[in-house]
């Protein structure tokens, strides 16, 4: 784990674990969104002062970007792995069950960091919203490419549009996030996943 290096300042410099501080910041952004997270919320959760935050991470926007990187790397790793499933249905199963595990993990805040911040509407958060939407578009493009390959391989019926399928799965993910944020139980989300898979076209 990375630890902040001592700097030449008056008094004893405060050292802290950068990785742990970033994980704490992620929880704040995940719980409150970019606009809802104040600098006091962040520094209190991270256990550091504002000068230390600026020195280690930059401004609030830069901190959010690093937190979003951590979120994608650790919480959404299942999405990258799911695309390696041998069938399109297998991709959908891995994606949905991965989302189910993430949303039902008691250590995670409710909802989805991406969904929460893609709906940010204040002037301060406009660049954040654009960044989140752009990342979501990259993930959706990867899913679309995988479904296009599945149709070419005969794994999906010829009359199924990969774009519509990718949009359908995206809507399911967003719906799961909203419901989880509203307090849905794992059993309730499991029923949603089971029903969605029963409606899956082809094999």
């Amino acid at each position: 784990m990375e630890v902040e290096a001592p700097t030449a300042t008056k008094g004893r410099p405060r050292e802290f674990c950068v990785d742990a501080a970033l994980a704490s910041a992620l929880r704040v952004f995940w719980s409150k969104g970019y606009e809802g997270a104040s600098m006091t919320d962040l520094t209190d959760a991270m256990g550091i002062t504002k000068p230390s935050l600026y020195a280690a991470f930059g401004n609030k926007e830069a901190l959010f970007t690093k937190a979003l990187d951590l979120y994608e790397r650790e919480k959404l790793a299942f999405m990258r792995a799911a695309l390696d499933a041998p069938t399109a249905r297998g991709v959908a199963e891995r994606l949905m069950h991965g989302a189910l595990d993430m949303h039902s993990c008691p250590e995670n805040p409710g909802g989805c960091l991406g969904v929460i911040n893609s709906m940010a509407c204040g002037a301060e958060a406009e660049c954040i919203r654009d960044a989140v939407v752009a990342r979501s578009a990259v993930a959706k493009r990867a899913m679309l490419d995988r479904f296009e390959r599945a149709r070419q391989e005969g794994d999906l019926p010829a009359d199924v549009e990969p774009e519509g399928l990718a949009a359908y799965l995206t809507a399911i993910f967003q719906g799961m996030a909203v419901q989880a944020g509203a307090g849905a139980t794992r059993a309730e989300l499991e029923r949603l996943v089971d029903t969605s898979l029963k409606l899956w076209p082809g094999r």
Side-chain angles (χ1 to χ4, degrees):
M1 287 189 178
E2 185 180 355
V3 176
E4 184 189 32
T7 56
T9 58
K10 293 181 180 180
R12 185 178 179 181
R14 182 174 185 177
E15 296 184 1
F16 64 93
C17 175
V18 173
D19 292 340
L22 183 58
S24 296
L26 170 58
R27 287 188 61 83
V28 174
F29 284 128
W30 196 344
S31 300
K32 298 190 174 187
Y34 179 80
E35 288 184 303
S38 69
M39 290 299 289
T40 299
D41 292 331
L42 291 165
T43 53
D44 285 352
M46 298 165 77
I48 61 176
T49 62
K50 285 185 181 180
S52 292
L53 186 155
Y54 292 133
F57 301 104
N59 59 16
K60 181 181 177 183
E61 182 182 339
L63 175 61
F64 178 83
T65 298
K66 291 180 173 66
L68 188 57
D69 289 341
L70 177 63
Y71 178 76
E72 291 187 338
R73 188 167 62 250
E74 292 191 353
K75 305 300 182 179
L76 300 183
F78 70 89
M79 297 187 75
R80 293 187 296 274
L83 298 178
D84 293 330
T87 65
R89 181 185 176 84
V91 171
E93 288 177 341
R94 291 186 186 182
L95 286 172
M96 290 189 194
H97 283 105
L100 174 64
D101 289 341
M102 182 182 73
H103 291 312
S104 58
C105 176
E107 296 179 0
N108 294 334
C112 169
L113 182 65
V115 171
I116 291 170
N117 290 282
S118 66
M119 295 186 289
C121 56
E124 179 194 6
E126 193 62 31
C127 60
I128 294 299
R129 178 186 179 279
D130 291 345
V132 170
V133 169
R135 292 193 189 212
S136 297
V138 171
K140 187 176 179 181
R141 179 71 244 183
M143 186 164 46
L144 174 58
D145 289 345
R146 178 64 183 84
F147 291 152
E148 286 179 339
R149 177 162 66 87
R151 189 170 68 167
Q152 292 170 1
E153 294 172 348
D155 182 41
L156 284 172
D159 61 344
V160 172
E161 287 293 335
E163 258 190 57
L165 209 52
Y168 167 74
L169 267 184
T170 300
I172 294 297
F173 297 150
Q174 292 173 342
M176 290 178 70
V178 171
Q179 291 187 38
T185 65
R186 181 181 177 92
E188 290 171 334
L189 295 177
E190 281 180 336
R191 283 197 292 272
L192 174 60
V193 169
D194 291 343
T195 300
S196 300
L197 288 173
K198 287 177 181 177
L199 299 174
W200 191 258
R203 296 190 289 274

